[in-house]
Amino acid sequence: MISEKMKPLVQNNSAIREMFEEGNRLAKIYGRENVYDFSLGNPNVPAPPEVDAAIRAILDEEESTFVHGYMSNSGYEDVRSAIAASLNERFGTAFHQDNILMTVGAASGMNVLFKTILNPGDEVIAFAPYFLEYGNYVRNYDGKLVVVPPDTETFQPNMEAFKERIGEKTKAVIINTPNNPTGVVYSDATLKKIAQILTEKQTELGTEIVLVSDEPYRELAYDGVEVPYVTKYYANTVVCYSYSKSLSLPGERIGYLVIPDALADSKTVFAAATIANRVLGCVNAPSLMQRVVMRCLGAKANVAAYDRNRNLLYTSLLEYGFTCIKPQGAFYLFLKSPEPDEKAFCAVCKKHNILVVPGSSFACPGYVRISYCVSYEQIERSLKAFKAVAEEYGL
Ligand code: PLP
């Protein structure tokens, strides 16, 4: 019964999800507190208090048929206008409501965008390691994902390999900073270089190449590191934002696309993306959540809680002899596997009730992702198990 396109998806069902289910199985045997599940990026920090307060206030103050009703397929105008104003204040941009399209999270935002711009056979470039769903989103519209191999010294983009992969079929390039799974943040210099390469290639090839900035982790950056706003570097940029991680609302499915005036054919792209939102069946982003985020534009993620986790985990793992670069953002740590086959390393970790995700799930074998959006106590309890794993490898 199922389609040919779905068959490989069913066969390779997400390793991360499988790991999550394995965590539940182990928890039943050993007790939840003795299983150290670092597999999913599901924030354990509760949503800021402004979120619940906004939900209550909306239900009290706004009319029920309005709050729960349909609106324009691109979202409420007052919400889009407030988001544009907030971005302008924070980043010195000049957006207006018709640059903002409300989406069902970043995942849906990217699908809307690719539905809008991809023809069959068009290529989309991603830098390994990358969020593996990108390949599925691109293939949904018969596009082809082209992967730039990682620079495992820095996990910054490998610019030479990037240049070589841009061709006539290149329609888009995805960047994700702060990055899942490495925690790396792209600097001003990195973004300038990407913009320069794309600008030169557009001129050389006579094509338009869209830079897609996937930004669910924008607000999660540490040690005062700056996360530059990408539209300032390159005109053909579309930002794909999500509140899933910044406001700890992953199940509520709310985010937006920024389609700036500077993008080629901006108005047509915006109109087409609005239709894509409808015909993909989203129709519009969740109404209540649109009204909530408008009231929470000043709310801050609890970055301090993640930072505390990051510091404990990073310093402890280094002390035990493991190798990894220090994450500057997001809530992931990308650890070098002490043996070449990182899946075998994951199996050793599992023996000690530690669940981590193999790097091959991010097109970067030889590493594992540790998701530290868990309780501080879980990290504290897990340290003896990590130490035992290090000892097993003689680190
Ligand atoms: N992009 C990256 C890099 C992610 O890590 C995730 C979720 O983990 C998403 C997109 C999807 O986010 P959303 O919940 O907004 O769909």
Side-chain angles (χ1 to χ4, degrees), residues 173-223:
V173 175
I174 306 172
I175 57 171
N176 168 226
T177 162
N179 186 265
N180 173 12
T182 63
V184 153
V185 173
Y186 290 4
S187 66
D188 171 71
T190 301
L191 292 171
K192 277 191 179 133
K193 186 77 195 160
I194 291 175
Q196 183 205 334
I197 292 172
L198 287 176
T199 306
E200 282 169 13
K201 285 285 180 184
Q202 283 192 143
T203 311
E204 182 191 317
L205 298 163
T207 55
E208 304 282 357
I209 305 173
V210 179
L211 182 59
V212 183
S213 183
D214 177 29
E215 308 195 342
Y217 304 98
R218 161 162 290 283
E219 321 305 343
L220 307 181
Y222 311 107
D223 302 331

Coordinates of all heavy atoms in Angstrom, one line a residue, residues 173-223:
V173 N 21.2 26.8 -0.3 CA 22.3 26.3 0.6 C 21.7 26.5 2.0 O 21.2 27.6 2.3 CB 23.6 27.2 0.4 CG1 24.6 26.8 1.4 CG2 24.1 27.1 -1.0
I174 N 21.8 25.4 2.8 CA 21.3 25.5 4.2 C 22.4 25.8 5.1 O 23.4 25.0 5.1 CB 20.6 24.2 4.6 CG1 19.5 23.8 3.6 CG2 20.0 24.4 6.0 CD1 18.9 22.5 3.8
I175 N 22.3 26.8 6.0 CA 23.2 26.9 7.1 C 22.4 26.8 8.4 O 21.2 27.2 8.4 CB 24.1 28.1 7.1 CG1 23.2 29.4 7.0 CG2 25.1 28.1 5.9 CD1 24.1 30.7 7.2
N176 N 23.0 26.3 9.5 CA 22.3 26.2 10.7 C 23.3 26.6 11.9 O 24.2 25.9 12.2 CB 21.9 24.7 10.9 CG 21.5 24.3 12.3 OD1 21.9 23.3 12.8 ND2 20.6 25.2 12.9
T177 N 23.1 27.8 12.4 CA 24.0 28.4 13.4 C 23.2 29.1 14.4 O 22.3 29.9 14.0 CB 25.1 29.2 12.7 OG1 25.7 30.1 13.7 CG2 24.6 30.1 11.6
P178 N 23.4 28.8 15.7 CA 24.1 27.8 16.3 C 23.7 26.4 15.8 O 22.6 26.2 15.5 CB 23.8 27.9 17.8 CG 23.4 29.4 18.0 CD 22.7 29.7 16.7
N179 N 24.7 25.5 15.8 CA 24.5 24.3 15.0 C 24.1 23.1 15.8 O 24.6 22.9 16.9 CB 25.9 24.0 14.3 CG 25.8 22.8 13.4 OD1 26.1 21.7 13.7 ND2 25.4 23.1 12.1
N180 N 23.2 22.3 15.2 CA 22.9 21.0 15.7 C 23.6 20.1 14.7 O 23.3 20.2 13.5 CB 21.4 20.8 15.6 CG 21.0 19.3 15.9 OD1 21.8 18.5 16.3 ND2 19.7 19.0 15.6
P181 N 24.6 19.3 15.0 CA 24.9 18.7 16.4 C 26.2 19.3 17.0 O 26.5 18.8 18.1 CB 25.1 17.3 16.0 CG 25.8 17.3 14.7 CD 25.2 18.5 14.0
T182 N 26.8 20.3 16.4 CA 28.2 20.6 16.9 C 28.2 21.7 18.0 O 29.2 21.8 18.7 CB 29.1 21.0 15.8 OG1 28.6 22.2 15.2 CG2 29.3 20.0 14.8
G183 N 27.2 22.6 18.0 CA 27.2 23.7 18.9 C 28.0 24.9 18.4 O 28.1 25.9 19.1
V184 N 28.5 24.7 17.2 CA 29.4 25.8 16.6 C 28.5 27.0 16.2 O 27.3 26.8 15.8 CB 30.1 25.2 15.4 CG1 30.4 26.2 14.3 CG2 31.4 24.5 15.8
V185 N 29.0 28.2 16.3 CA 28.3 29.4 15.8 C 29.2 30.0 14.7 O 30.4 30.1 14.8 CB 28.2 30.4 17.0 CG1 27.6 31.8 16.5 CG2 27.3 29.9 18.1
Y186 N 28.5 30.3 13.6 CA 29.3 30.9 12.5 C 29.5 32.4 12.8 O 28.6 33.2 13.1 CB 28.5 30.9 11.2 CG 28.3 29.4 10.6 CD1 28.8 28.3 11.3 CD2 27.7 29.2 9.4 CE1 28.7 27.1 10.7 CE2 27.6 28.0 8.8 CZ 28.1 26.9 9.5 OH 28.0 25.6 9.0
S187 N 30.8 32.8 12.6 CA 31.2 34.1 12.9 C 30.9 35.1 11.8 O 30.5 34.6 10.7 CB 32.7 34.2 13.2 OG 33.4 33.8 12.0
D188 N 31.1 36.4 12.0 CA 30.9 37.4 11.0 C 31.8 37.0 9.8 O 31.3 37.1 8.6 CB 31.4 38.7 11.7 CG 31.5 39.9 10.7 OD1 30.4 40.3 10.2 OD2 32.6 40.3 10.4
A189 N 33.1 36.6 10.0 CA 34.0 36.3 9.0 C 33.5 35.2 8.1 O 33.6 35.2 6.9 CB 35.4 36.1 9.5
T190 N 33.0 34.1 8.8 CA 32.5 32.9 8.1 C 31.3 33.3 7.2 O 31.2 32.9 6.0 CB 32.0 31.9 9.1 OG1 33.2 31.5 9.9 CG2 31.5 30.6 8.5
L191 N 30.4 34.1 7.8 CA 29.2 34.5 7.0 C 29.6 35.4 5.8 O 29.0 35.3 4.7 CB 28.1 35.2 7.9 CG 27.5 34.2 8.9 CD1 26.6 35.0 9.9 CD2 26.6 33.2 8.2
K192 N 30.6 36.2 6.0 CA 31.0 37.1 4.9 C 31.6 36.2 3.8 O 31.4 36.5 2.6 CB 32.1 38.0 5.4 CG 31.6 39.3 6.1 CD 32.7 40.3 6.3 CE 32.0 41.6 7.0 NZ 32.8 42.0 8.1
K193 N 32.3 35.2 4.2 CA 33.0 34.3 3.2 C 31.9 33.5 2.4 O 32.0 33.4 1.2 CB 33.9 33.4 3.9 CG 34.7 32.5 3.0 CD 35.9 33.3 2.4 CE 36.5 32.5 1.2 NZ 37.2 33.3 0.3
I194 N 30.9 33.0 3.1 CA 29.8 32.3 2.4 C 29.1 33.2 1.5 O 28.8 32.9 0.3 CB 28.8 31.7 3.5 CG1 29.5 30.6 4.3 CG2 27.5 31.2 2.8 CD1 28.6 30.0 5.4
A195 N 28.8 34.4 1.9 CA 28.1 35.4 1.1 C 29.0 35.8 -0.2 O 28.4 35.8 -1.3 CB 27.8 36.7 1.9
Q196 N 30.3 35.9 0.0 CA 31.1 36.2 -1.1 C 31.1 35.1 -2.1 O 31.0 35.3 -3.3 CB 32.5 36.5 -0.5 CG 33.5 36.9 -1.6 CD 35.0 36.6 -1.2 OE1 35.3 36.4 0.0 NE2 35.8 36.4 -2.1
I197 N 31.3 33.9 -1.6 CA 31.3 32.7 -2.5 C 30.0 32.7 -3.3 O 30.0 32.5 -4.6 CB 31.5 31.4 -1.8 CG1 32.9 31.4 -1.2 CG2 31.2 30.2 -2.6 CD1 33.2 30.2 -0.3
L198 N 28.8 32.8 -2.6 CA 27.5 32.7 -3.3 C 27.4 33.8 -4.3 O 26.8 33.6 -5.4 CB 26.4 32.7 -2.3 CG 26.3 31.4 -1.5 CD1 25.2 31.6 -0.4 CD2 25.9 30.2 -2.4
T199 N 27.8 35.1 -3.9 CA 27.6 36.2 -4.8 C 28.4 36.0 -6.1 O 28.0 36.2 -7.2 CB 28.1 37.5 -4.1 OG1 27.4 37.6 -2.9 CG2 27.8 38.7 -5.0
E200 N 29.7 35.5 -5.9 CA 30.5 35.2 -7.1 C 29.9 34.1 -8.0 O 29.9 34.2 -9.2 CB 31.9 34.8 -6.7 CG 32.8 36.0 -6.2 CD 34.1 35.5 -5.5 OE1 34.4 34.3 -5.5 OE2 34.7 36.4 -4.9
K201 N 29.4 33.1 -7.4 CA 28.9 32.0 -8.1 C 27.6 32.4 -8.9 O 27.4 31.9 -10.0 CB 28.6 30.8 -7.2 CG 29.8 30.0 -6.8 CD 30.4 29.2 -7.9 CE 31.6 28.4 -7.5 NZ 32.3 27.7 -8.6
Q202 N 26.8 33.2 -8.2 CA 25.5 33.7 -8.9 C 25.9 34.4 -10.2 O 25.3 34.2 -11.2 CB 24.8 34.6 -8.0 CG 24.0 33.9 -6.9 CD 23.0 34.8 -6.2 OE1 21.9 34.4 -5.8 NE2 23.3 36.1 -6.0
T203 N 26.9 35.3 -10.1 CA 27.4 36.1 -11.2 C 27.9 35.1 -12.3 O 27.6 35.2 -13.5 CB 28.4 37.1 -10.8 OG1 27.9 37.8 -9.7 CG2 28.7 38.1 -11.9
E204 N 28.8 34.2 -11.9 CA 29.4 33.3 -12.8 C 28.4 32.4 -13.5 O 28.5 32.2 -14.7 CB 30.4 32.4 -12.0 CG 31.2 31.5 -12.8 CD 31.9 30.5 -11.8 OE1 32.5 30.9 -10.8 OE2 31.9 29.3 -12.1
L205 N 27.4 31.9 -12.8 CA 26.5 30.9 -13.3 C 25.2 31.6 -13.9 O 24.4 31.0 -14.6 CB 26.1 29.9 -12.3 CG 27.2 29.0 -11.7 CD1 26.7 28.4 -10.4 CD2 27.6 28.0 -12.7
G206 N 25.0 32.9 -13.5 CA 23.8 33.6 -14.0 C 22.5 33.0 -13.3 O 21.5 33.0 -14.0
T207 N 22.7 32.5 -12.1 CA 21.5 31.9 -11.4 C 21.3 32.7 -10.1 O 22.1 33.5 -9.7 CB 21.8 30.5 -11.1 OG1 23.0 30.4 -10.3 CG2 21.9 29.6 -12.3
E208 N 20.1 32.4 -9.4 CA 19.9 32.9 -8.1 C 20.0 31.7 -7.1 O 19.4 30.6 -7.4 CB 18.4 33.4 -8.0 CG 18.1 34.5 -9.0 CD 18.6 35.9 -8.6 OE1 19.3 36.0 -7.6 OE2 18.4 36.8 -9.5
I209 N 20.8 31.9 -6.1 CA 21.0 30.8 -5.1 C 20.5 31.4 -3.7 O 20.9 32.4 -3.3 CB 22.4 30.4 -5.0 CG1 23.0 30.0 -6.4 CG2 22.6 29.3 -4.0 CD1 24.5 29.7 -6.4
V210 N 19.5 30.6 -3.1 CA 18.9 31.1 -1.9 C 19.8 30.5 -0.7 O 20.0 29.3 -0.6 CB 17.5 30.6 -1.8 CG1 16.9 31.1 -0.4 CG2 16.7 31.1 -2.9
L211 N 20.1 31.4 0.2 CA 20.8 31.0 1.5 C 19.7 30.8 2.5 O 19.0 31.7 2.8 CB 21.8 32.0 1.9 CG 22.6 31.7 3.2 CD1 23.4 30.4 3.0 CD2 23.6 32.8 3.5
V212 N 19.5 29.6 3.0 CA 18.4 29.3 3.9 C 19.1 29.2 5.3 O 19.9 28.3 5.6 CB 17.8 27.9 3.6 CG1 16.7 27.6 4.6 CG2 17.3 27.8 2.2
S213 N 18.7 30.1 6.2 CA 19.3 30.1 7.5 C 18.3 29.5 8.5 O 17.3 30.1 8.9 CB 19.6 31.6 7.9 OG 20.3 31.6 9.2
D214 N 18.6 28.2 8.9 CA 17.8 27.5 9.8 C 18.2 27.8 11.2 O 19.2 27.5 11.7 CB 18.0 26.0 9.5 CG 17.2 25.1 10.4 OD1 16.1 25.5 10.8 OD2 17.6 23.9 10.7
E215 N 17.3 28.5 11.9 CA 17.7 29.1 13.2 C 16.9 28.8 14.4 O 16.6 29.6 15.2 CB 17.6 30.7 13.1 CG 18.3 31.2 11.9 CD 18.5 32.7 11.9 OE1 17.9 33.4 12.8 OE2 19.4 33.2 11.2
P216 N 16.6 27.5 14.7 CA 15.9 27.2 15.9 C 16.7 27.5 17.2 O 16.1 27.6 18.3 CB 15.6 25.7 15.9 CG 16.0 25.2 14.5 CD 16.9 26.3 13.9
Y217 N 18.1 27.6 17.1 CA 18.9 27.8 18.3 C 19.4 29.2 18.4 O 20.3 29.4 19.2 CB 20.0 26.8 18.2 CG 19.5 25.3 18.1 CD1 19.5 24.7 16.9 CD2 19.0 24.7 19.2 CE1 18.9 23.4 16.8 CE2 18.5 23.4 19.1 CZ 18.5 22.8 17.9 OH 17.9 21.5 17.8
R218 N 18.9 30.1 17.6 CA 19.5 31.5 17.6 C 19.6 32.1 19.0 O 20.6 32.7 19.3 CB 18.6 32.4 16.8 CG 18.7 33.9 17.0 CD 18.2 34.8 16.0 NE 19.0 34.7 14.7 CZ 20.2 35.3 14.6 NH1 20.7 36.1 15.5 NH2 20.8 35.2 13.4
E219 N 18.6 31.9 19.9 CA 18.7 32.5 21.2 C 19.6 31.8 22.2 O 19.9 32.2 23.3 CB 17.3 32.6 21.8 CG 16.2 33.0 20.9 CD 16.4 34.3 20.1 OE1 17.2 35.1 20.4 OE2 15.7 34.4 19.0
L220 N 20.1 30.6 21.8 CA 20.9 29.8 22.7 C 22.4 29.9 22.4 O 22.9 29.1 21.7 CB 20.4 28.3 22.7 CG 18.9 28.1 22.9 CD1 18.6 26.6 22.9 CD2 18.4 28.7 24.2
A221 N 23.0 31.0 22.9 CA 24.4 31.1 22.7 C 25.1 31.5 24.0 O 24.5 32.2 24.8 CB 24.7 32.2 21.6
Y222 N 26.3 31.1 24.2 CA 27.0 31.2 25.5 C 28.2 32.1 25.4 O 28.7 32.4 24.3 CB 27.4 29.8 26.0 CG 26.3 28.8 25.9 CD1 26.3 27.8 24.9 CD2 25.2 28.9 26.7 CE1 25.2 26.9 24.8 CE2 24.1 28.0 26.6 CZ 24.2 27.0 25.6 OH 23.1 26.2 25.5
D223 N 28.7 32.5 26.6 CA 29.9 33.3 26.8 C 29.8 34.6 25.9 O 30.8 35.1 25.4 CB 31.1 32.5 26.3 CG 31.3 31.2 27.1 OD1 30.8 31.2 28.3 OD2 31.8 30.2 26.5

